[in-house]
Amino acid sequence: MAANFSHVCLTEKQQMMNGTPLEYNLQRYVYPAIALFGILGNVLNLTVLLNKSMRSRANTFLATLAFADIIFLSLLFPNILANYSFFTFNYYFRYFYFHTKVHLISLANWCSAVAIWCVIAVCGDRLVGIRSPLYARSTWSWWKLPAVIMFIVAVAGGLTFYQHFEYYCLVRSYCNETQLYSRCLPVYSVSWFGKRENPFSPAFQQLISLCVLVYALTMIILPIILLTMLNLMLLCALRKRQKHLAVCADATERRNNESQMQKTEHRVTLTVTFIVTMFTLTNGPSALMHLIRTAYNLKQQDLYDLTMICSTLVICGKASNFILFCLGSRHFRLRLIRLTQRKVHRKIGEYMLFYNAFKKKASLMLHCNGQLSHNKIVNIRGK
């Protein structure tokens, strides 16, 4: 830890960990509800997507997306808790938060990177599937799908790993070591704490700057371009498929099964299109803001509220997939209801078995106690 400033005590306002009143209100009142709803919704998504009857390439990518979103939303809670007085002024929470904040942000960005490439993968898979029905019905080798997912996770992790070292956070103790305060600067910053010279070597600074550029290209610019193009192509393919289905509505009985399969593929693709469109709309502004901040080397306080609004859109997007699934897929709704009913009936059955066993055991114990009492009375009378 850095130098000890025991002779100085910070005010409550100085100890606040939010940048602006807007951030304080969002973190305190809006984000908790969105995060909880998003986690619960994605858990429900997983219960359906991981069901044996629902397994497919697209659903596997969507399940990975749900996992990534759950982790992302869970990582919000340290930031959320930091805006409640009980945690804001707690020494041990501040110590934990100041020493892990950078790493939590890096992990959250890793999850976002995995999510965006999973969306690209499912969008590409649906596009190829709707253009080539044979591909849609074909199955990959057992190792290909896990390999693709592991590749996405590994590459995304590698490209975001530099963020663990991008910032140096100085933590100082105040007021007889009862208060902690922290401030972070990027390692490539020209100015440094106390107007000192940046202690990091020029080579390390250039390496981190290069990583920032690569991250912006591969995890922001390229994905947004790909998503926009794929989504437009998917919408065009959907329109053509819809016309084809309308023309083939009066086909013979022999082609009914094929027509039904095409309609199913159409509905699945429509749901994916909803998800991709929402993902693009909610993540696009944040990506644009990140590019602006990187290109113009803006300070943290510059455009702070606008950045918070863009981040709020991202969080809303990660919590909206459950709504999109329910609105866009009747099959998903029915499957979710059936699974819920099955689990509820199973739990009720377990409770009934437990209750009957307990009742039987209690009845047996009462019978035994009654028999013992009767024997005692008989023995007393005999004496």
Side-chain angles (χ1 to χ4, degrees):
M1 188 176 293
N4 183 8
F5 291 80
S6 295
H7 60 285
V8 178
C9 289
L10 303 175
T11 64
E12 289 189 357
K13 186 176 181 180
Q14 289 173 325
Q15 293 183 76
M16 297 299 289
M17 290 186 278
N18 57 281
T20 63
L22 176 64
E23 181 185 8
Y24 175 80
N25 290 314
L26 286 174
Q27 295 271 15
R28 188 179 175 89
Y29 302 111
V30 179
Y31 286 5
I34 297 176
L36 290 174
F37 176 80
I39 291 172
L40 179 60
N42 280 297
V43 168
L44 292 175
N45 288 344
L46 288 174
T47 60
V48 177
L49 294 173
L50 296 179
N51 190 265
K52 289 183 179 180
S53 62
M54 294 286 289
R55 288 180 184 174
S56 65
R57 284 189 300 270
N59 286 347
T60 303
F61 286 124
L62 291 174
T64 307
L65 170 65
F67 272 119
D69 287 346
I70 288 172
I71 298 173
F72 178 91
L73 293 170
S74 300
L75 291 171
L76 292 178
F77 282 99
N79 285 324
I80 292 171
L81 295 176
N83 291 275
Y84 289 89
S85 299
F86 178 81
F87 297 97
T88 302
F89 307 114
N90 184 281
Y91 180 91
Y92 298 102
F93 177 81
R94 292 174 74 88
Y95 183 89
F96 163 79
Y97 183 74
F98 289 149
H99 287 86
T100 59
K101 182 179 179 179
V102 171
H103 305 295
L104 293 175
I105 293 173
S106 177
L107 292 174
N109 287 334
W110 183 9
C111 293
S112 288
V114 171
I116 195 169
W117 281 102
C118 282
V119 172
I120 291 172
V122 73
C123 190
D125 181 79
R126 284 292 87 204
L127 181 61
V128 176
I130 202 170
R131 287 185 168 184
S132 176
L134 291 177
Y135 171 82
R137 299 171 201 172
S138 64
T139 56
W140 285 3
S141 301
W142 65 269
W143 57 270
K144 282 187 178 180
L145 192 56
V148 170
I149 292 173
M150 290 300 297
F151 178 77
I152 291 173
V153 173
V155 172
L159 291 173
T160 56
F161 187 72
Y162 79 94
Q163 295 179 7
H164 291 283
F165 313 99
E166 184 182 4
Y167 286 86
Y168 176 80
C169 294
L170 180 65
V171 182
R172 285 178 172 174
S173 61
Y174 292 84
C175 203
N176 297 319
E177 298 189 9
T178 60
Q179 297 176 344
L180 287 177
Y181 184 80
S182 178
R183 188 184 168 201
C184 299
L185 285 176
V187 296
Y188 45 81
S189 176
V190 177
S191 59
W192 202 249
F193 300 108
K195 297 182 179 179
R196 294 192 299 268
E197 185 180 352
N198 191 324
F200 294 96
S201 66
F204 183 74
Q205 295 182 44
Q206 290 176 2
L207 175 63
I208 297 298
S209 298
L210 179 62
C211 290
V212 172
L213 180 61
V214 172
Y215 174 81
L217 291 173
T218 57
M219 294 298 165
I220 298 176
I221 298 176
L222 180 61
I224 292 298
I225 293 174
L226 283 176
L227 274 179
T228 304
M229 292 175 58
L230 288 172
N231 204 23
L232 290 174
M233 294 169 69
L234 200 57
L235 289 171
C236 292
L238 272 175
R239 190 173 181 180
K240 290 180 180 178
R241 172 61 64 86
Q242 199 165 9
K243 290 181 179 179
H244 175 72
L245 290 175
V247 170
C248 298
D250 298 326
T252 60
E253 185 68 24
R254 186 175 60 85
R255 300 185 60 186
N256 278 346
N257 291 335
E258 183 179 352
S259 178
Q260 186 62 35
M261 188 171 292
Q262 288 179 348
K263 289 180 180 179
T264 302
E265 289 291 326
H266 178 81
R267 287 194 297 268
V268 172
T269 307
L270 190 62
T271 304
V272 170
T273 306
F274 285 154
I275 294 171
V276 173
T277 303
M278 179 61 73
F279 191 93
T280 306
L281 291 175
T282 54
N283 285 264
S286 179
L288 181 62
M289 183 57 59
H290 185 88
L291 289 176
I292 292 173
R293 298 183 73 88
T294 303
Y296 292 96
N297 197 22
L298 298 179
K299 296 180 180 179
Q300 186 178 5
Q301 60 270 24
D302 296 334
L303 303 177
Y304 196 89
D305 283 345
L306 188 57
T307 303
M308 283 302 304
I309 293 172
C310 293
S311 299
T312 304
L313 284 176
V314 173
I315 296 169
C316 290
K318 294 186 177 300
S320 66
N321 286 341
F322 175 70
I323 299 174
L324 294 176
F325 272 117
C326 289
L327 292 178
S329 175
R330 181 172 175 269
H331 182 64
F332 179 88
R333 293 194 300 270
L334 293 175
R335 176 63 61 180
L336 179 60
I337 292 171
R338 287 172 186 169
L339 287 173
T340 304
Q341 289 176 342
R342 190 183 304 168
K343 289 186 177 182
V344 169
H345 290 159
R346 189 183 302 165
K347 287 293 181 183
I348 292 174
E350 290 176 358
Y351 286 133
M352 289 301 296
L353 286 174
F354 175 78
Y355 173 75
N356 290 332
F358 177 78
K359 186 178 178 181
K360 187 176 180 180
K361 188 175 181 180
S363 177
L364 183 62
M365 289 177 65
L366 288 173
H367 177 73
C368 292
N369 289 335
Q371 190 67 32
L372 287 172
S373 300
H374 176 73
N375 292 338
K376 286 181 179 180
I377 292 171
V378 170
N379 290 334
I380 291 171
R381 288 178 178 177
K383 291 179 180 180

